[in-house]
Amino acid sequence: MLFQKLNKTNFINLLFFLIPISFIAGNLIINLNIILFIIIGAIFYKFEIFKIKLVFIDKIIIVFFLYTLIIGITNNLYNYYYESSAVEFKVITKTLTYLRFLFFYFLIRFLVLKEIINFKFFFTSAGLSALFVCIDLIIQLTFGKDIFGYDSAYIRMLSGPFGDEWIAGSYLQRFSPFLFFLVPLFYNFKNKNIFKIFSATLIILVLFGALIAGNRMPFFLLLMILSLILILENKSRKYLLHFIIISSLVLIFVFKFKPSSYVHFNNFLTKSTKIFSAVISSEKDFSDPVFNTHFKEFYSGYETWKESKFFGGGIKSFPQRCVKIVINCANHPHNYYLEILSELGLVGFLILSIIFGLVIYDTFIRKYLIKDNLQNNNIIIPFMFLFLAEIFPFKTSGSFFTTANATYIFLVMAITIALSQSNDKKI
């Protein structure tokens, strides 16, 4: 029985270990990985998964998925009976397949609560994968091609192992923080000076990689995550000045020897400032080049939401609904909250806002303001800060409902919620 239990634990941890790696391989591999993870988990643990005690936030998450299902069915029935054009069952199909993330969420909740997940393996996988992306980006910058033969066709950005997708910076923002926690949490570095040099080297590599990748918002979010951790964690606060100095030196070095990066990031700050000022003053001239594609997509998301304010049009309904209102619509509004408003309406937005608020209360408020036993739980730190960055409202983003984003959101959220219920974990 013990041997069988070990086999189960090792196999499920192998699939969990592969999740950060699958994000490099692409959506097909991510889907294959999580589907295998869900199926194998169901075979191994059966109905035991659903016997865990449900806290209030679990019940709200179930309500959210039931709501998406009802909205999907309702919208498809409405289109079938009242729309003159041919009916496509895309909304209900996407809604049904989206339900896999509910099972994904509860399986992870179960595995964490039962202490089946080996976090050392996961942190190793995430950290080393991020380090690999950094090295691959440096190779691509130096030689014009990365190790897979992808060239650096766009002077301002690099894709690294992601080919024709410019998401390397986003990947580093999501997974590199685990690299900085890997050694302090799971290994004993007796020589403090060597540890400091080692940590500084990792910070230089990650920030350099994120800068040359050229994804501007992920880079600023990565800086925000690392800075907040250093500020809020008592043990790490003494390293804040070192981090500021290292970050500044990396910025100066990259901008000095790669002027296109300076232009790229400076344009971002200039446009962001101008757009923010225009929004505040309600003066928007879309002929002005500063109102780039993303801003127009934000606007199209807002206009589409107004057509169905309370309930939305259902998951993945935005492209079909948007073209009836705004010219040149994208597949999504490039902002989580505008997409949620458009596709799930104010009701769906409210449900998700409650979920996000509860996660923030159960982590940040309890750990840093109330200071209960959660302050001893160090494994939760990267997850809670990464969750905060993921739901940061003032950023451009992919679709909330795509495979990669949904996998990451419910992965981080499930672990964060599960660990917030485990006050006795003192690693």
Side-chain angles (χ1 to χ4, degrees), residues 71-92 312-317 320-321 324:
I71 292 301
I73 293 172
T74 303
N75 275 283
N76 258 133
L77 287 175
Y78 177 85
N79 291 336
Y80 182 82
Y81 286 109
Y82 296 104
E83 292 287 332
S84 58
S85 58
V87 176
E88 292 185 7
F89 291 93
K90 182 178 180 180
V91 172
I92 188 60
I315 291 175
K316 292 295 182 180
S317 65
Q320 292 82 6
R321 295 169 59 233
K324 300 175 183 178

Side-chain angles (χ1 to χ4, degrees), residues 198-217:
F198 174 75
S199 300
T201 304
L202 290 181
I203 290 172
I204 291 170
L205 279 172
V206 169
L207 292 182
F208 186 81
L211 261 178
I212 62 176
N215 301 109
R216 297 168 295 192
M217 182 57 76

